[in-house]
């Protein structure tokens, strides 16, 4: 009757089970998954008190919560001893003393002082080769690692921290709406889907349904079961009771033909007792279900929480009834009757949907079938996976929208400051996995689908990844949106709804070929088309002057030209562990007149639709080629189109909230606008135009509002990325804006003249208008002048922005340029991408680490523990297996999994130096080919993975891809490299592939020429996932090295300060003398990898006189760094300890920290956490606000609250 483990074989792995068994059976027989802890009963991880210099508190971090957690004395940098739970138990301890400290009791039982149940150890062995292989290949292992050693001793992670402090943390976390490891057991459990990275199955069952539950059966836990689990109520050893009930539940879910779903090793799932739902949290996300807060004040544990009512805007209801004007009637009695009517209708409408959708399994199944039949109009008895994906997406979206709508109403009622993030890219990745995790519904949907014959992972794989971005810029923007919602900041993202992505990359004969990436073929169920939210955007035309009749001032009116309609498409962005759901609004271009009937009737059929096609082309393609003048015009149209629509939308929303005493002068107090790179910088003159020409404000007042509203993030100092537009082109396309830019520049240069009289060089360098032929508008200068804060994205980048890009501006505006180092969201890049590692963290620390990576620092003292290392290495091996399966299925290459995985995956560019990597692989190939069989037998096996797209017009980058593919073909077909070296170039790199590739890495290469990479975020993701870096002193590498220890980053190459001097002397330097590089070049030029003419330009570019990116200069140091990494990898215990310490030191690179810095340094805004009424302080009541009069009406009777989702 003891529940040990449970494995569910996914269809993918079931198909391969036979071949995997035969390949791994012998290995598994000799190497059980969890060897006994060498420390026996001596400590939590065996010899946990070995020396360690890591500071578990995170160094000088002012946030010292986990310092208190380890107040009992975990080993830290000050040399204090570990707590008693980590040390051998004195022989004179009583049984009670041993039990309360988590020491094994006689007979193998455990009593956890900070847990409400007694736990018994496993009493059966592994179930033969089949059971071992299932555990060995359980790709979804978030629950599978870290509970205890195979012998049931020595690994009791719940005792890692002081119980009193941990319980306080649990209380605080629970009070904030999140789940806790001590929640009651009716939240449901999750078992891993074998072969699936994110595919859980619920094991436990909610009594009457919940977000993780389904219909109660006779085998489910009862209240009596729960009571028997309380302290002092021991489970019966003779069978029956709660434990046997749970075992019967597991058996009920067992796959057909499985001889025994219960394995001896409970640690493979981490299911230590019914109240431990940490792993469920790691898989399912935070528990937002009312079932997980049954003791909340005034909360019915069997009902979903009520939706808010007090924040409903009655003025909006009034307008819908009376055509937009406040109805007062003839007397006070009529007014009271009218108000009573509104209040009654409000109450009636609220009651029709007064609670959130029920999310137990039967309710979800009904929702799925209803969407199949009513939304998709398909027969419920006959549908494919694509249809069921659409139905599942709509079902999840229903649950998103109710939180989304309530959040926006809450924001409006609170009237707090809002931030709007303007980005030309949002590389969001697939939405379904993120949505169900953040809603806490992954387990419920997995079970609902399983019972209908579908697998959640298979369903999620049907989603076409939105092609709304290209690389790091768009992925960073998406990480920020996730974090803004998670941290409860009122924020929206604004961008463009591209009809086609940049392109779909395919490899044809080893060359990149671009195909249209039409991601909207089957629609996008996650978006909401807002046909009622439209704005007119003017292009071309002319500017006329007129005299203001009231003031006599000269005013300007832009008229004529071409008018395009911007239509809004909204996508809810849910936060993790919160009800807050923010919005991403994307604009699609439509013609103001659909069809020219006169032209059609006259026989001009193409002319009849010409204007329509011209307008819709604005949002057709991400980054149209700017090699031609028409391409440049289209890019500028895109940028202006989306910022104009956005600013009109922002001003409309702000003006709706204007109350007595507030005017447009107060806009910066309620609105912050962040420009993600230079692309949206045209928004500065556009806001000025709206304030000057539409709102009739004087120049000085409009400029003050503008500069206090905008913040600008610079992402690069590369000249091609610092956009410049030809003045004649802008004068034709945006004539009014060119006038405003001239005036901005004129007034600014007057300030420069006042500061540096007669210094023409200063004025030339700082002028927004570049005096060239033709004249150019420097958009980065415009953003610098028009923003109150400009930030770089890494310390070295910010220093270069100050010293090289904007040195004069830094002198003129001291303090304006700040640093905010980039970060990535751990929800996407650990919890979802690496379920095996996430399971280790959650089983030890509980779910809180997901939103607070500082907690991982508490694991660093155990980096050398054998049991912990085994769990860590097992997780890494599973990730390699998962990637190898994908490569085999999609590329036909059988990758080794017992090798070091060396990866470089990012946009292909010369400064990122993928060519240096390929040359290093060629050198390695040459060494292997020239070695004897005995020498090759001693070589470290290596798998090299490269991925990334080259811009369609970037021929040099495309040649690098061609060379990489040619080298891959030669290496993989050379028998001398078998078992030693493999090379793959994975095509069409995107977010979903990154989630598959990154967790499998041992070494990742971030080897840009120093000073050219602003920050990089891939480096952060790789280290967070247990890999180490080979890299240059560039971007965030420098800060990562400081955080994880410089010995954990294999650094090489010229520094940023040395690069300029080396470039100045490259014409006079002697030819490169490194024989290894010369041999690699000779191999390429001699045709070893195909037609040498294809690669002659690449080889010419690394000659000493042409070596702008210092590839030849840095090549010897690069090989030395790789050798150091290889040597370190050979000492596996030391290597594993390095990766553990590095991964647990990355809290500074969470986007949570980044967004908090932006909020403090740039936006000056506070979070606004939204909770349903029964979660409010005081129980069941409203948090206030949203009153019928005070906050809902301004002095003129217009509404100032919620904008109806618009």
């Amino acid at each position: 009757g003891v529940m040990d483990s449970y494995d569910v074989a996914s269809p993918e792995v079931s198909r391969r089970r036979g071949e995997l068994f035969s390949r791994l059976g012998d290995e598994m027989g000799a190497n059980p998954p969890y060897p006994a802890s060498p420390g026996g009963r001596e400590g939590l991880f065996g010899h946990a008190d070995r020396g360690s210099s890591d500071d578990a508190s995170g160094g000088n971090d002012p946030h010292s919560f986990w310092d208190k957690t380890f107040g009992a004395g975990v080993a830290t940098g000050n040399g204090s001893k570990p707590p008693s739970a980590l040390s051998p138990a004195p022989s004179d301890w009583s049984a009670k003393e041993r039990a309360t400290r988590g020491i094994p009791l006689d007979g193998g039982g455990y009593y956890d002082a900070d847990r409400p149940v007694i736990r018994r150890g496993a009493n059966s062995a592994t179930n033969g080769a089949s059971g071992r292989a299932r555990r060995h290949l359980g790709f979804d292992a978030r629950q599978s690692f870290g509970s205890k050693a195979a012998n049931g001793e020595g690994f009791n992670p719940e005792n890692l921290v002081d119980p009193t402090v941990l319980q306080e943390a649990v209380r605080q976390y629970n009070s904030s709406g999140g789940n806790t490891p001590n929640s009651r057991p009716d939240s449901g459990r999750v078992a891993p889907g074998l072969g699936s990275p994110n595919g859980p199955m619920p094991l436990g069952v909610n009594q009457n349904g919940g977000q993780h539950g389904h219909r109660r059966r006779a085998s489910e836990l009862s209240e009596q079961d729960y009571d028997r689990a309380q302290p002092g109520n021991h489970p019966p050893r003779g069978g029956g009771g709660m434990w046997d009930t749970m075992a019967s539940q597991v058996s009920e879910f067992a796959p057909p033909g499985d001889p025994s779903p219960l394995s001896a090793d409970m640690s493979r799932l981490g299911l230590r007792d019914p109240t431990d739902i940490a792993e469920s949290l790691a898989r399912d996300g935070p528990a937002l279900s009312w079932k997980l807060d049954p003791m909340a004040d005034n909360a019915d544990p069997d009902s979903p929480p009520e939706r808010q009512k007090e924040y409903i805007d009655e003025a909006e209801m009034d307008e819908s009834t009376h055509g937009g004007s406040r109805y007062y009637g003839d007397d006070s009695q009529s007014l009271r009757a009218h108000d009573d009517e509104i209040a009654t209708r409000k109450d009636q409408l609220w009651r029709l949907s007064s609670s959130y959708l029920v999310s137990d399994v039967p309710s979800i199944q009904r929702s799925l079938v209803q969407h199949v039949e009513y939304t998709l109009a398909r027969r419920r008895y006959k549908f494919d996976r694509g249809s069921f994906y659409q139905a599942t997406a709509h079902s999840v979206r229903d649950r998103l929208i109710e939180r989304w709508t309530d959040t926006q109403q809450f924001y409006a009622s609170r009237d707090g400051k809002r931030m709007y993030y303007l980005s030309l890219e949002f590389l969001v990745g697939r939405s379904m996995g993120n949505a169900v995790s953040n809603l806490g519904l992954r387990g419920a949907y997995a079970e609902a689908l399983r019972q209908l014959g579908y697998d959640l992972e298979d369903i999620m794989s049907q989603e076409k990844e939105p092609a709304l971005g290209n690389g790091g810029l768009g992925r960073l923007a998406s990480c920020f949106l996730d974090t803004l919602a998670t941290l409860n900041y009122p924020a929206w993202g604004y961008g463009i709804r591209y009809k086609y992505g940049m392109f779909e990359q395919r490899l044809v004969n080893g060359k990149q070929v671009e195909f249209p990436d039409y991601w909207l073929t089957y629609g996008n169920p996650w978006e909401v088309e807002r046909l009622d939210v439209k704005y007119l955007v003017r292009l071309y035309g002319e500017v006329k002057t007129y005299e203001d009749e009231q003031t006599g001032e000269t005013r300007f009116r832009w008229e004529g030209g071409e008018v395009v309609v911007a239509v809004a498409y909204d996508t809810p962005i849910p936060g993790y562990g919160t009800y807050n759901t923010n919005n991403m609004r994307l604009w699609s271009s439509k013609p103001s007149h659909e069809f020219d009937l006169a032209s059609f009737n006259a026989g001009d059929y193409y002319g009849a639709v010409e204007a329509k096609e011209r307008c819709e082309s604005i949002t057709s393609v991400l980054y149209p080629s700017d090699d031609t003048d028409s391409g440049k015009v289209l890019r500028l149209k895109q940028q202006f189109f989306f910022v104009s629509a956005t600013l009109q939308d922002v001003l409309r929303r702000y003006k709706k909230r204007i109350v007595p005493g507030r005017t447009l002068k107060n806009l910066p107090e309620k609105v912050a606008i962040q420009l993600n790179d230079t692309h949206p910088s045209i928004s500065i003159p556009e806001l000025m135009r709206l304030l000057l020409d539409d709102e009739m404000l004087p120049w000085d007042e409009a400029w003050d509002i503008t500069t206090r509203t905008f913040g600008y993030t610079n992402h690069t100092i590369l000249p091609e990325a610092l956009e410049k537009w030809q003045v004649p082109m802008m004068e034709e396309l945006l004539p009014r804006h060119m006038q405003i830019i001239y005036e901005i520049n004129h007034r600014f240069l007057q300030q420069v003249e006042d500061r540096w009289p007669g210094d023409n060089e200063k004025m030339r360098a700082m002028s927004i208008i570049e005096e060239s032929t033709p004249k150019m508008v420097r958009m980065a200068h415009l953003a610098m002048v028009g923003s109150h804060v400009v930030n770089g994205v890494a310390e070295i980048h910010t220093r270069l922005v100050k010293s090289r890009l904007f040195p004069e501006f830094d002198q003129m505006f001291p303090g304006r340029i700040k640093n905010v180092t980039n970060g990535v969201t751990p929800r996407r890049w650990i919890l979802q991408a690496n379920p095996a590692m996430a399971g280790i963290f959650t089983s030890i620390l509980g779910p809180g680490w997901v939103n607070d990576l500082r907690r991982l620092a508490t694991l660093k003292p155990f980096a050398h523990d054998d049991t912990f290392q085994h769990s860590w290495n097992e997780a890494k091996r599973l990730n390699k297996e998962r990637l190898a399966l994908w490569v085999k299925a999609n590329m036909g290459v059988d990758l080794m999994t017992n090798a070091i995985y060396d990866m470089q995956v990012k946009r292909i560019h010369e400064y990122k130096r993928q060519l240096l990597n390929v040359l290093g692989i060629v050198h390695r190939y040459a060494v292997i080919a020239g070695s004897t069989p005995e020498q090759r037998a001693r070589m470290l096996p290596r798998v090299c993975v490269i991925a990334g797209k080259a811009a369609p017009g970037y021929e040099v980058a495309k040649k690098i891809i061609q060379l990489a593919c040619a080298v891959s073909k030669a290496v993989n077909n050379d028998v001398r490299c078998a078992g030693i070296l493999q090379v793959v170039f994975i095509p069409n790199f995107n977010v979903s592939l990154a989630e598959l590739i990154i967790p499998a890495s041992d070494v990742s290469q971030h080897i840009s020429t120093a000073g050219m990479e602003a920050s990089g975020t891939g480096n952060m993701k790789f280290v967070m996932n247990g890999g180490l870096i080979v890299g240059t002193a560039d971007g965030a590498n420098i800060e990562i090295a400081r955080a994880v220890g410089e010995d954990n980053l294999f650094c090489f190459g010229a520094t940023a300060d040395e690069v300029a001097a080396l470039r100045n002397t490259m014409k006079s330097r002697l030819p490169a003398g490194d024989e290894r590089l010369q041999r690699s070049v000779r191999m390429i030029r001699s045709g070893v990898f195909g037609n040498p003419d294809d690669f002659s330009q690449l080889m010419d570019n690394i000659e000493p006189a042409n070596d702008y990116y210092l590839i030849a200069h840095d090549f010897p140091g690069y090989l030395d760094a790789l050798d150091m990494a290889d040597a370190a990898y050979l000492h596996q215990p030391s290597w594993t300890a390095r990766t553990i310490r590095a991964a647990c030191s990355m809290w500074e690179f969470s986007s949570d920290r980044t967004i908090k810095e932006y909020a403090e340094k740039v936006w000056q805004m506070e979070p606004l956490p939204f909770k349903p009424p029964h979660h409010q302080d005081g129980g069941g009541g409203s948090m206030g606000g949203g009153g019928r009069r005070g906050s809902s009406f301004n002095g003129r009777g217009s509404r100032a609250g919620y904008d109806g989702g618009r």
Side-chain angles (χ1 to χ4, degrees), residues 923-932 936 939 974 976-977 1083:
H923 163 68
R924 191 176 297 272
Y925 177 40
V927 171
I928 294 171
S931 299
T932 66
R936 290 196 290 269
M939 292 180 178
D974 193 324
R976 294 168 296 183
C977 295
M1083 291 174 66

Side-chain angles (χ1 to χ4, degrees), residues 876 880 901 903 997-1004 1022 1025-1028:
K876 181 65 68 176
K880 291 179 180 180
Y901 273 45
M903 299 180 171
I997 293 170
I998 290 173
S1001 72
D1002 295 303
V1003 167
S1004 61
F1022 276 104
N1025 280 274
L1028 299 185

Side-chain angles (χ1 to χ4, degrees), residues 683-704:
S683 58
I684 292 173
E686 171 64 0
L687 182 58
M688 285 293 292
R689 182 190 70 83
L690 293 170
L691 295 176
L692 293 170
D693 300 351
D694 292 359
E695 304 297 336
M696 301 296 182
L697 296 182
W699 178 279
D700 290 339
E701 189 173 312
W703 183 244
D704 177 68

Side-chain angles (χ1 to χ4, degrees), residues 1144-1160:
C1144 294
S1145 302
M1146 291 293 289
W1147 73 267
E1148 295 179 48
F1149 305 98
S1150 166
S1151 52
D1152 297 354
R1153 188 271 314 155
T1154 305
I1155 290 300
K1156 288 176 182 177
E1157 282 196 29
Y1158 272 109
E1160 177 184 351

Side-chain angles (χ1 to χ4, degrees), residues 41 94 224 510 553 629 640 676 709 723 816 858 885 937 1008 1068 1088 1126 1157:
R41 299 186 181 183
S94 66
Q224 291 75 19
E553 297 178 352
D629 288 342
F640 176 70
N676 191 28
T709 300
E723 290 180 314
R816 177 172 294 189
T858 61
L885 281 175
S1008 55
S1068 59
V1088 173
D1126 288 354
E1157 282 196 29

Side-chain angles (χ1 to χ4, degrees), residues 50 288 298 312 327 352 361 397-398 439 460 510 534-535 599 700 752 792 829 843:
R50 68 185 67 198
L288 301 182
N298 298 339
I312 298 174
Y327 173 77
L352 291 172
V361 168
R397 194 188 75 165
D398 290 345
L439 290 174
M460 290 195 298
K534 299 179 181 179
Y535 296 97
S599 297
D700 290 339
V752 176
W829 295 110
S843 66

